[in-house]
Each structure stands twice: as C-alpha cells, then as structure tokens.
Amino acid sequence: GLTMPKRILPVIQPTVTSWSWQANTFAILEAHNMGKEWLYSNYIQLVGNNFSNTVNIDFYPRGDVFSICPLFCTQKIDRSFLQSLKCNPLDFLKLCINNNCYIYAVLNYSDILKYPNIYHDSMIYGYDDTSQRIFLTEFIFKNKYSFETISYSQFINACTNVPPEQDFINDWRGGVQLIKVSPSYPPYYFDIYYVKESFGEYLNGIETANRYRGFKPPYANEVYGLDIYDLLISFCYEKKYDYRPFSVLKDHHTLMIKRLIYMQERQKVIDCTNIVNEYIKIVESLQTIISKEIKYSLKRNPQYMEDILVQLKYIKSMDAKLVKEIIDNIVEHKYYFSYQTIFYKGIMPSEKGFRFS
C-alpha cells in the first residue's frame, strides 16, 4: 500500500498529565478540541490505595479508558494475532497512523535507556521516514508526561522484546490498542445529573467501583473522594515521600476549574466565580507541596513535611466546603436520549458522524 513519508497525528499537552490512559485520552481529545461534554461529566471522583509502598491516586473512569470513552473507536489486537499477520512492525505502525489510529502498547525501553527491565506503556502518534523516527508520548524519559522520539530500529527492538508477563495492557492480555477519534451515536451530552451524583460520591467518599460491579469486582482496601486526603496525610506522617499523587490532585483541581467555567457558561451552575478563585489557590498550594516533596526527597528536612501536612489538612477542609457549595448551586435536570429522533424521523447515524463544539 501507499504510505506517506511522514505523518503525525494531533496531540497536545493535556490538562490531566498522570497515568498513560488518562493523559493520552486528554492529549488526543483536547488536540481535536472535542469531547468536553464527556471529559467534564467524568473525572470528578478520585480513587486511592497505598499498594506498592506509595499512594496511588487515579480518576474515575480508570483502567481501559480508551475503550470506555464514547469519542474513541478502539480496536484491541493481541500479540499472537499480530504475529500471525507476519507483518513488519514498522509497516503495521504506518498503516495504523495513516488510518488515523493512535497506537497504545507496552514497549521495552531497556536498550534505549540503558537500564535493565524497563517496560512501559506508550502511545505512538507519528512517524517520519526522513529522520527515521517514531513519535510517542511517555513518562520515563523526563519523569513526567512528554512527547518523545525514538529511531525506527529502536522501535522494532522495543516492540518485539516484550515478554507476556510484562505485557500488561488489555487486562494483562497484552497486544495493542488502536485508538481512533470517532464519536459515538447518539452523541454524548454534558450530563449534569451524573455530575451532581459524582460530586456527592466525591464529598462522601462513596465507593464508585460499586457502579461497575457488572463489569468487574472492586479492588479491596481502596478509598474514594475526600478520603484520599487522609491517605496522603498518613503517608506524610510516615515520613514517606512521592510527589506523583499530589500531581494527580493538582490535575484534578485544574480540571475542576475548567469544568466549573464550562458549567457556568452553560447556566448549569449558579455563579461560581468565588469557588473558581478558591480552586486556583488550591492548585497553587499543591504546586508548592510538589516542590516541597521534591526538596524533602533530596534534603530530608522535617520542616518541609510539617509544612506539607498543614497545607494538606487545610486543602481538604476547603475542598469539602467548595464541593458542598457546588452541589447546592447546580441547576439540575436529567437528560435522556430519545430513540424516536433516530428511527422515526429516519435520521440514521451519518457516515461523517457527529461533531460537537
């Protein structure tokens, strides 16, 4: 088939910069200026645990977000099927990119980073025959979400040397996911009813995983919503440090500001200028905490940890107060999609699909 010498799919520095499945979802949708309705209806609840000697915090939805998001058409192909295609990895990559599919897969970075056993999930979004480079998003080059390139030969080595026990995507089935921006029909509308419920679950630390028992059982020993702060506070009391969970919190509140402005523009919430200003201060405090976490990791000065604890307790009480205010100020109505509009008026999903503002 005909391939172009260079093709780079749109990505942009995302609002949420934590976890591959979250950051890449935002990087794609925000680059297309699409899906605000879905992003702002979700990503309110947080879930946390202290597995693996740190505090892990993630958003809801979590896990296989590429399959959950109604703006993506996502295809999953396991490695044995890929191998049976007997297709050169580079040809396969170009075929995907030329069909507007981002590629999500685990790669082996041991040779590239000269460090044993580094397997990490990357998202490939382009290639360039002239420079013989692959474009991908990663966390492991700069210790934060970044746009990187690797050579063609490095890519072939990185994708062909992943043992099954390291191939953790697709619930450990391994392989690749191909992600194409293709909004579902009927379109997803901003769901103020669900948003209000989610704020309640966040405020009261309700186990959101119970909503999804139809798909999978909840993990044991996880906490939700505002209870995340207590997990972080006890983590700090143990003199442990890791700036990453604070980074997730900062992303959460940065997104909160955008959501509230969006809601206010659409009269979904009574004036919340003061709430937005308070969240701006919270985001600044979290940036200070992140800096102190990094300083503490270098200097172990107990004063840093004491400062962090004071700030965290204050942020928790402010966050609770603000969320209560938001719930009280929401202008609520329940939205249902009417099947009649699709079938009885003869409006079937068109080939072009639907585009939202």
Side-chain angles (χ1 to χ4, degrees), residues 276-294:
V276 166
N277 290 335
E278 289 301 331
Y279 273 117
I280 291 170
K281 289 181 202 160
I282 287 178
V283 167
E284 287 164 2
S285 297
L286 282 161
Q287 188 52 57
T288 313
I289 288 179
I290 291 165
S291 308
K292 283 182 178 158
E293 280 283 316
I294 294 166

Side-chain angles (χ1 to χ4, degrees), residues 23-295:
N24 287 317
T25 295
F26 277 81
I28 297 170
L29 289 178
E30 291 179 326
H32 286 81
N33 195 23
M34 287 168 77
K36 287 190 180 86
E37 301 83 359
W38 184 77
L39 292 172
Y40 296 158
S41 297
N42 287 279
Y43 294 94
I44 292 169
Q45 181 64 301
L46 290 173
V47 57
N49 61 54
N50 52 10
F51 310 152
S52 69
N53 208 25
T54 182
V55 172
N56 303 291
I57 297 178
D58 199 356
F59 290 84
Y60 256 90
R62 73 199 290 203
D64 187 4
V65 179
F66 304 124
S67 298
I68 297 167
C69 175
L71 288 106
F72 293 152
C73 175
T74 299
Q75 304 168 63
K76 300 177 181 183
I77 309 173
D78 68 33
R79 253 175 219 263
S80 57
F81 187 85
L82 276 175
Q83 281 153 359
S84 68
L85 290 176
K86 307 231 180 321
C87 180
N88 171 308
L90 263 178
D91 293 340
F92 179 77
L93 179 148
K94 290 177 184 179
L95 184 69
C96 295
I97 297 290
N98 291 336
N99 280 289
N100 298 320
C101 292
Y102 299 81
I103 304 164
Y104 177 62
V106 173
L107 299 179
N108 179 344
Y109 283 99
S110 309
D111 278 0
I112 298 168
L113 296 171
K114 304 284 178 270
Y115 203 84
N117 300 322
I118 297 192
Y119 302 93
H120 209 254
D121 47 333
S122 304
M123 187 183 75
I124 298 160
Y125 64 91
Y127 66 87
D128 180 359
D129 284 342
T130 310
S131 63
Q132 304 241 316
R133 308 290 290 177
I134 302 290
F135 295 76
L136 48 79
T137 66
E138 248 309 337
F139 290 85
I140 56 176
F141 287 84
K142 298 190 172 75
N143 244 348
K144 63 179 181 184
Y145 186 78
S146 61
F147 304 108
E148 302 293 339
T149 66
I150 59 174
S151 72
Y152 281 3
S153 57
Q154 283 175 326
F155 165 72
I156 291 168
N157 187 17
C159 74
T160 47
N161 290 310
V162 179
E165 66 276 7
Q166 298 288 351
D167 202 3
F168 57 84
I169 68 164
N170 293 332
D171 291 319
W172 295 93
R173 297 182 189 107
V176 298
Q177 288 192 10
L178 309 180
I179 304 146
K180 189 174 196 168
V181 175
S182 170
S184 64
Y185 189 88
Y188 192 96
Y189 288 93
F190 183 71
D191 191 337
I192 194 67
Y193 173 79
Y194 180 56
V195 165
K196 189 172 182 178
E197 280 210 320
S198 300
F199 274 121
E201 292 189 5
Y202 179 81
L203 181 65
N204 299 307
I206 289 168
E207 188 168 8
T208 298
N210 282 324
R211 280 184 182 274
Y212 300 96
R213 281 180 176 270
F215 302 105
K216 52 162 57 176
Y219 294 110
N221 307 317
E222 291 202 304
V223 299
Y224 292 83
L226 286 173
D227 295 346
I228 295 270
Y229 288 102
D230 301 333
L231 202 62
L232 285 168
I233 287 164
S234 55
F235 180 70
C236 292
Y237 272 125
E238 290 169 22
K239 303 275 185 286
K240 290 179 179 170
Y241 52 89
D242 185 346
Y243 67 89
R244 292 172 304 176
F246 299 101
S247 210
V248 180
L249 261 188
K250 185 185 155 207
D251 287 350
H252 180 265
H253 297 320
T254 304
L255 183 65
M256 184 72 80
I257 293 164
K258 293 188 176 184
R259 178 188 293 108
L260 290 169
I261 293 168
Y262 174 92
M263 285 167 68
Q264 194 164 305
E265 283 168 357
R266 285 157 187 78
Q267 283 91 49
K268 305 286 188 190
V269 67
I270 299 159
D271 182 67
C272 58
T273 316
N274 293 342
I275 300 176
V276 166
N277 290 335
E278 289 301 331
Y279 273 117
I280 291 170
K281 289 181 202 160
I282 287 178
V283 167
E284 287 164 2
S285 297
L286 282 161
Q287 188 52 57
T288 313
I289 288 179
I290 291 165
S291 308
K292 283 182 178 158
E293 280 283 316
I294 294 166
K295 283 178 188 164

Side-chain angles (χ1 to χ4, degrees), residues 6-19:
K6 178 178 182 176
R7 185 92 205 279
I8 296 170
L9 300 179
V11 281
I12 197 171
Q13 182 63 30
T15 304
V16 168
T17 56
S18 342
W19 305 111

